[in-house]
Amino acid sequence: MSLDEGEMYVVKKGIEHKPFAESEAKILIIEPKGVVNTGNQVGDKTAENDVWI
């Protein structure tokens, strides 16, 4: 699937996803409280959970 500027897509609960871009892009990912940004993997890229920005 590909999105154009200004479009949004909702990934259904329980569906594994890995967003990417072939060139530079800015994305906003909104997840429910308690969801870890790196899924089941924990490492250097894992962010502190439940931080309000």
Side-chain angles (χ1 to χ4, degrees):
M1 158 173 268
S2 96
L3 300 174
D4 291 320
E5 183 176 341
E7 293 184 321
M8 179 174 24
Y9 180 78
V10 177
V11 178
K12 292 182 181 182
K13 182 177 181 178
I15 302 298
E16 187 174 329
H17 58 286
K18 184 178 179 183
F20 74 96
E22 292 178 359
S23 60
E24 183 176 339
K26 293 179 183 180
I27 65 171
L28 172 65
I29 299 176
I30 301 170
E31 296 177 324
K33 185 174 184 175
V35 173
V36 179
N37 70 309
T38 53
N40 295 330
Q41 303 292 324
V42 177
D44 295 344
K45 295 181 181 179
T46 304
E48 184 178 337
N49 202 355
D50 299 332
V51 177
W52 181 258
I53 55 170

